[in-house]
């Protein structure tokens, strides 16, 4: 029963986070991109703060180290990641599935940053090969035209890649931090501070609340991203993190693109191209090589989703 429950929640999380890329794409028809991301985390931050107040003893960060971790998460995991992602998805060439696949590079990019900031994290020759294969997958996915490197969505895809890199860097800095702060508290305040940063960026870019179009569709997209993808999604993530460990739960990044592509095809009539599938499969091979020892040890210790 426990194994079935874990697998069911894992698939729910992959579906929720995969379909979030579709909700972003749909909502961008009604909101300026960075302002849309800021609105998302205005709501999500309040939801997470309410949960932190209920679930943990100290929902407010204390001391320099805790606030530094909050600021790191706000800048890289919330603000930079979502600003780059939302702007990238404004390009018609960046479908929901393509965005999800590029973001699935985050675990590989995390390895790169861990090598720089966490000396104990060593990358073997096979791991380096896996990293290279993963980056090849990203190139296949971007499918750049040598004669027109700024066309065909190449720049937009690079922005999404920057989003994945920002998330990876933020994850490593968080791991390197010695602050004793609960995940719920860190997430809540990172979301709220990150939303504030994005509001400033949106203002600097000339985005205005007056440009937002408030319709049933736009409110549904915003509500889904804020409450379901961020609020409920992170609660499921925290639960599975305790049960499965970081290696197995990391695999959600490789299942989410499947749901993103399927929901994008059903809801937005987005096509699924050969290069998208090929890039996804190559990235999966790279991830398996980089994380082979950790995956083998995790599965041996717990059993698949056990």
């Amino acid at each position: 029963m426990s194994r079935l429950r874990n697998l069911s929640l894992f698939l729910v999380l992959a579906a929720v986070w995969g379909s979030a890329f579709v909700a972003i794409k749909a909502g961008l028809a009604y909101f300026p991109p960075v302002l849309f991301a800021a609105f998302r985390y205005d709501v999500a931050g309040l939801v997470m703060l309410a949960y932190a107040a209920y679930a943990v003893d100290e929902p407010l960060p204390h001391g320099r180290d805790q606030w530094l971790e909050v600021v790191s998460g706000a800048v890289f995991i919330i603000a930079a990641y979502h600003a780059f992602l939302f702007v990238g998805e404004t390009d018609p060439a960046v479908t929901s599935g393509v965005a999800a696949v590029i973001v699935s590079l985050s675990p590989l990019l995390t390895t790169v940053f861990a090598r720089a900031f966490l000396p104990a994290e060593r990358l073997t020759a096979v791991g380096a090969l896996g990293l290279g294969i993963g980056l090849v997958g990203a190139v296949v996915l971007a499918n750049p035209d040598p004669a027109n490197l700024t066309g065909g969505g190449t720049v937009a895809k690079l922005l999404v890649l920057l989003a994945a890199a920002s998330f990876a860097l933020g994850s490593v800095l968080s791991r390197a931090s010695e602050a004793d702060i609960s995940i719920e508290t860190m997430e809540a305040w990172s979301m709220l501070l990150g939303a504030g940063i994005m509001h400033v960026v949106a203002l600097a870019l000339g985005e205005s609340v007056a440009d937002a179009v408030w319709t049933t569709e736009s409110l549904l997209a915003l509500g889904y991203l804020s409450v379901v993808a961020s609020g409920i999604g992170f609660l499921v993530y925290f639960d599975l993190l305790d049960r499965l460990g970081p290696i197995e739960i990391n695999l959600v990044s490789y299942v989410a693109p499947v749901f993103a592509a399927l929901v994008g095809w059903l809801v937005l009539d987005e096509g699924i191209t050969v290069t998208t599938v090929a890039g996804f499969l190559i990235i999966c091979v790279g991830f398996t090589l980089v994380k082979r020892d950790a995956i083998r040890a995790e599965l041996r210790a717990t059993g698949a989703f056990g």
Side-chain angles (χ1 to χ4, degrees):
M1 182 61 70
S2 177
R3 179 174 299 179
L4 178 60
R5 176 187 182 278
N6 290 342
L7 177 58
S8 299
L9 286 177
F10 180 90
L11 291 176
V12 166
L13 182 61
V16 166
W17 280 0
S19 57
F21 290 94
V22 182
I24 293 170
K25 196 75 173 178
L28 286 171
Y30 304 96
F31 298 103
V34 180
L35 190 61
F36 184 23
F39 285 156
R40 171 183 178 176
Y41 281 98
D42 288 332
V43 179
L46 292 174
V47 171
M48 186 58 68
L49 183 60
Y51 177 72
Y54 163 78
V56 302
D57 294 331
E58 294 187 356
L60 181 68
H62 297 285
R64 177 176 174 272
D65 289 342
Q66 289 191 6
W67 277 109
L68 281 177
E69 183 164 352
V70 166
V71 170
S72 174
V75 171
F76 295 104
I77 296 178
I78 302 299
Y81 169 67
H82 289 89
F84 284 131
L85 175 62
F86 278 51
V87 173
E89 279 209 61
T90 59
D91 193 308
V94 181
T95 65
S96 306
V98 166
V101 172
I102 296 174
V103 168
S104 74
L105 274 167
S106 289
L108 289 176
L109 295 172
T110 298
T111 303
V112 176
F113 292 119
R115 188 71 178 86
F117 293 98
L118 301 172
E121 300 277 346
R122 299 298 178 185
L123 191 62
T124 65
V126 176
L129 174 62
L131 181 61
I133 290 174
L135 295 177
V136 168
V139 174
V140 170
L141 186 66
N143 193 26
D145 178 4
N148 183 21
L149 291 178
T150 61
T154 301
V155 172
K157 292 171 186 175
L158 287 176
L159 288 176
V160 179
L161 181 60
L162 282 175
S166 299
F167 189 93
L169 178 57
S171 298
V172 170
L173 292 178
S174 177
R175 189 188 308 171
S177 171
E178 297 181 357
D180 183 17
I181 182 173
S182 70
I183 295 176
E184 295 86 350
T185 300
M186 189 275 288
E187 287 286 351
W189 288 98
S190 291
M191 287 177 179
L192 291 171
L193 181 57
I197 293 172
M198 287 188 287
H199 276 294
V200 172
V201 173
L203 184 64
L205 293 175
E207 296 182 358
S208 169
V209 176
D211 297 327
V213 180
W214 300 98
T215 67
T216 301
E217 291 79 8
S218 65
L219 288 173
L220 284 173
L222 179 59
Y224 185 84
L225 289 170
S226 302
V227 178
V228 180
S230 297
I232 297 176
F234 274 112
L235 293 182
V236 173
Y237 174 82
F238 294 145
D239 181 66
L240 287 177
L241 182 63
D242 289 336
R243 295 172 180 273
L244 302 180
I247 300 302
E248 285 188 60
I249 194 58
N250 216 11
L251 296 175
V252 75
S253 297
Y254 294 87
V255 182
V258 177
F259 287 97
L262 290 175
V263 176
W265 173 62
L266 290 171
V267 177
L268 301 178
D269 197 28
E270 294 179 337
I272 301 175
T273 67
V274 173
T275 54
T276 300
V277 175
F280 171 68
L281 293 176
I282 293 170
I283 289 170
C284 284
V285 170
F287 173 82
T288 302
L289 289 175
V290 170
K291 296 292 186 181
R292 68 198 184 286
D293 291 335
I295 293 173
R296 188 185 304 117
E298 188 79 15
L299 296 179
R300 187 184 299 121
T302 64
F305 298 102

